[in-house]
Amino acid sequence: MRKPLWINGQWVEGSSWRTLRSPYTMEEIAEIAQADEAQLNRAVEAAAAAAKVMRKMPAHERASILEKVSAALTSRREEAARIIALEAAKPLKTALAEIDRTIMTYKFSAEEARQLRGEMVPMDAAPGGDNRLAFTLREPIGVIGAITPFNFPMNLVAHKVGPAIASGNTVVLKPASQTPLSAYLIAELFDQAGLPAGALNVVTGSGSTLGNLLVEDPRISMITFTGSPAVGTAIRNRAGLKRVTLELGSNSAVIIDTDRNLDKIVERCVTGAFTYQGQVCISLQRIFVVGEDLYRRFTDEFVKRTGNLRTGDPLSMDTDLSALISPADVSRSLEWIGEAKRLGATVAAGGQAEGNVLRPTVLLNVDPRAKVSCQEVFAPIVLINAVKSVEEAISLVNDSDYGLQAGIYTDDVHAALHAAESLEAGGVLINDIPTFRVDHMPYGGVKMSGMGREGVKYAMEEMTERKLVIFNRN
Ligand code: NAP
C-alpha cells in the first residue's frame, strides 16, 4: 500500500517514499510519502487560505463537523484500532481504549466549539473607566503547526486537531514517522465530514526537516508539540514570538502510604507501569513505599501480578505487552537495566528481551542516580524503593527534572493535602496512580515536562486570541 500526502483536500504523491515497518514483526506495512520543502510550503499556503474560511464558519457548523468525525470513528472503531496495533505495536485491547478516548476527544471538541466565548469586563471598576461597556472576543489564532508523537497516534492528534478546528483555526499536522496511517485516517474522516479543503493538511517526512520548516514559517502562528523534551526544547528555542505549547515527558512517581485495598492498589500500579509497554508520558516509573513491612508485601504482590502479564502479537486480544517502538529502544532499555544493576539494584522480574519485546521489568532498591530513575525510561521498567516517611518520598518524587503528574495512596487527609501542595507536578492524584487521564481535564507539566495545557477547553484557550472591545458611552 502507498500512502500519499494530504494537502489542500487532495492526496498528493510524495517526492520520495519510505517503508513503514511493524515494530513487532519488522515486516513492511506500507510505503509512506515523504514531503519535500515545496510540498510543505503548499500545505502551509493551503492552511493560510483556509484560515479565512474557517474564521467565518459559525460555531454550529464547526461543531457539526466534529460530531461527524466522532460518529465516523465510532463506526470504524475496530479498523482504526487495528491501524494503531499494526503501526505502533500497541496491544489491540489498549488500542481500542485509545479509539474510545479519541471519540470522546472529538465529542468534547464539538461541545466546546459551541461554548467558545469571551467575557464582560467591568470597566467602571477603575477610576476613569466609567460609562464604558467592554467585552472580549475569542478569535482563532490562524494556522497551527501540530507535531505529534508515536505513542497515542489517534488521541494525541485529536488533542490538537479537535480544539484547533473547534476554535476556527486551520492545521498543518506532522505526525510521528512511525505512525502516519492513523493521522491519514483522521484526515479522511474530516474530509468526509465536510471540513473545507486546506483546513487540515497532513505531511509526513523527516521530523527535523519538516519540523524546522514548520517552526520557522512566518505564516504559522502557533506550534503545538507533544514529544520528547529534547525536541520540545529545540522547538522553543527556534520559535521566536510564535505561541508554543509543549507536552513533554516525565518519570512519574507514586507514593504508597496505606495498605487499605492493597490488592487494588497493586493492580492499578501494574497497569500504570506496563500499559503500552510503558511508552506513555505518564507511565508509572517510580514507586516509593513507606515502611519496610508494607514494602515487602507490596513488592511480593507486584512481582506476582507482573508475572501474569502476557507478551506477544499486538493484534491478539490476549496480549498485554508487545514490542517496543524500535530495536534501538530495546538495546537502550537493556543498557539502562545493566547500569541500575551495577549501581546496586536487584531485578525482581523481567530484565530480558525476546526480539523487540522487553519482558515487564521490576527493579528494587534503585539508586536515584541510575538512568531508570532520573531519566524518562519509556519502556516496561518500574522501580520500587522503600522509604521511611511520606516526607522523604515527596522529596524523592520532586528530585526530578520532570513534573507531569504524581500520585499518593494514603488514608491520612493531612498527608494527602500536604502532598497536593508539595508535589511539583501539573497534576496530583490522591489515591490513584499518575497514569490517569480523561480528555477534558487540564493536562500538562511543569519543569521539563512542558508548558501550556491541553484538555480540549484548555487547548482552545492556547489556540485563541482574546480581543478586547470597548464601547465609550461618554
Ligand atoms: P519525539 O522523538 O520527540 O517525536 C515527536 C515528534 O517530533 C515526531 O513527529 C517527530 O518526527 C518530530 N520531530 C523530531 N525531530 C524534530 C525536530 N527537530 N523538530 C520538530 N519536530 C521533530 O517523541 P516520540 O518518541 O515520538 O514520543 C515520545 C515522547 O513523547 C516521550 O518523551 C513522551 O513522554 C512524550 N509524550 C508526552 C505527552 C504529554 O502529553 N506530555 C504525551 C505523549 C508523549 P519523526 O517521528 O519523524 O522523528
Side-chain angles (χ1 to χ4, degrees):
M1 177 185 47
R2 278 193 143 199
K3 206 74 202 171
L5 310 166
W6 178 250
I7 298 174
N8 203 18
Q10 287 178 339
W11 296 107
V12 176
E13 294 287 300
S15 65
S16 60
W17 298 83
R18 176 179 165 273
T19 304
L20 177 69
R21 295 185 182 280
S22 144
Y24 179 64
T25 62
M26 297 309 283
E27 281 165 13
E28 179 174 338
I29 304 171
E31 290 286 308
I32 306 298
Q34 305 291 289
D36 60 19
E37 189 171 346
Q39 288 168 323
L40 183 84
N41 194 37
R42 274 172 54 202
V44 178
E45 208 171 272
K52 298 193 180 84
V53 179
M54 287 302 292
R55 206 183 168 79
K56 294 215 168 89
M57 184 183 278
H60 69 89
E61 277 182 36
R62 304 196 305 267
S64 159
I65 290 170
L66 289 157
E67 276 158 7
K68 284 182 191 151
V69 169
S70 183
L73 195 57
T74 308
S75 65
R76 292 174 73 174
R77 179 175 179 266
E78 272 79 26
E79 176 198 348
R82 281 183 71 81
I83 291 175
I84 299 180
L86 203 61
E87 66 180 4
K90 181 171 283 190
L92 198 53
K93 54 190 169 192
T94 317
L96 283 163
E98 180 178 345
I99 298 302
D100 292 340
R101 280 185 54 195
T102 310
I103 291 165
M104 283 309 295
T105 305
Y106 286 118
K107 272 190 191 158
F108 281 125
S109 300
E111 283 172 18
E112 291 297 339
R114 292 194 159 94
Q115 293 301 327
L116 185 65
R117 70 189 79 191
E119 61 184 2
M120 298 302 299
V121 184
M123 298 304 281
D124 64 347
D130 302 24
N131 265 326
R132 281 174 170 81
L133 176 71
F135 56 89
T136 57
L137 297 172
R138 298 267 301 278
E139 296 191 334
I141 194 164
V143 182
I144 295 179
I147 305 175
T148 50
F150 73 84
N151 65 336
F152 285 83
M154 297 268 181
N155 198 32
L156 292 181
V157 163
H159 269 287
K160 303 196 180 308
V161 177
I165 299 301
S167 47
N169 293 290
T170 61
V171 181
V172 179
L173 168 66
K174 206 313 269 172
S177 290
Q178 184 56 44
T179 53
L181 299 178
S182 299
Y184 283 124
L185 176 71
I186 291 301
E188 196 185 314
L189 299 186
F190 268 101
D191 183 46
Q192 289 163 2
L195 188 72
L200 170 63
N201 306 274
V202 183
V203 285
T204 36
S206 145
S208 51
T209 313
L210 298 182
N212 288 344
L213 289 169
L214 280 178
V215 173
E216 286 171 4
D217 195 305
R219 294 165 295 181
I220 292 185
S221 310
M222 174 183 181
I223 296 289
T224 169
F225 172 81
T226 301
S228 60
V231 175
T233 309
I235 288 176
R236 185 80 189 86
N237 290 338
R238 299 178 90 101
L241 286 179
K242 273 195 182 67
R243 205 174 281 188
V244 176
T245 297
L246 301 174
E247 296 287 347
L248 310 177
S250 80
N251 58 351
S252 300
V254 71
I255 299 166
I256 312 292
D257 178 41
T258 176
D259 66 354
R260 186 194 296 267
N261 293 324
L262 191 61
D263 281 3
K264 241 167 126 180
I265 297 176
V266 173
E267 189 188 336
R268 286 288 290 154
C269 289
V270 169
T271 303
F274 300 128
T275 294
Y276 188 35
Q277 295 88 262
Q279 300 170 122
V280 177
C281 47
I282 36 175
S283 263
L284 178 54
Q285 184 173 329
R286 299 177 296 152
I287 303 176
F288 299 108
V289 186
V290 181
E292 283 296 335
D293 172 58
L294 182 56
Y295 177 70
R296 262 191 305 277
R297 286 187 289 140
F298 179 91
T299 305
D300 287 351
E301 186 62 24
F302 193 99
V303 171
K304 199 174 97 200
R305 281 178 187 258
T306 301
N308 296 338
L309 296 172
R310 278 162 301 196
T311 55
D313 187 344
L315 290 164
S316 158
M317 276 301 271
D318 293 333
T319 298
D320 298 305
L321 280 89
S322 187
L324 284 179
I325 200 67
S326 74
D329 282 289
V330 180
S331 340
R332 175 186 58 80
S333 303
L334 292 170
E335 271 167 35
W336 288 19
I337 293 168
E339 185 215 33
K341 278 161 62 181
R342 285 195 297 284
L343 287 168
T346 316
V347 180
Q352 325 90 29
E354 292 144 16
N356 291 339
V357 181
L358 181 70
R359 298 280 318 160
T361 299
V362 182
L363 301 174
L364 307 181
N365 302 316
V366 177
D367 189 309
R369 290 166 304 169
K371 292 196 185 76
V372 291
S373 176
C374 64
Q375 297 193 19
E376 180 182 35
V377 75
F378 229 57
I381 303 174
V382 64
L383 68 88
I384 316 178
N385 282 3
V387 290
K388 291 198 171 55
S389 64
V390 168
E391 204 52 54
E392 183 190 353
I394 289 175
S395 74
L396 285 165
V397 174
N398 287 344
D399 181 20
S400 166
D401 291 334
Y402 302 102
L404 197 47
Q405 296 199 141
I408 178 169
Y409 281 94
T410 183
D411 296 332
D412 177 347
V413 70
H414 301 289
L417 286 170
H418 177 57
E421 278 171 8
S422 317
L423 288 169
E424 297 162 3
V428 174
L429 291 101
I430 312 294
N431 290 336
D432 207 351
I433 49 174
T435 326
F436 175 83
R437 183 178 186 188
V438 285
D439 295 283
H440 60 308
M441 70 186 215
Y443 181 81
V446 299
K447 302 199 255 185
M448 269 174 63
S449 291
M451 51 192 285
R453 289 291 177 270
E454 289 195 338
V456 178
K457 174 175 145 194
Y458 305 94
M460 286 167 69
E461 279 173 17
E462 313 266 353
M463 291 174 173
T464 47
E465 292 285 6
R466 263 168 230 274
K467 182 188 274 177
L468 177 66
V469 180
I470 308 177
F471 276 64
N472 180 4
R473 303 177 69 201
N474 289 300

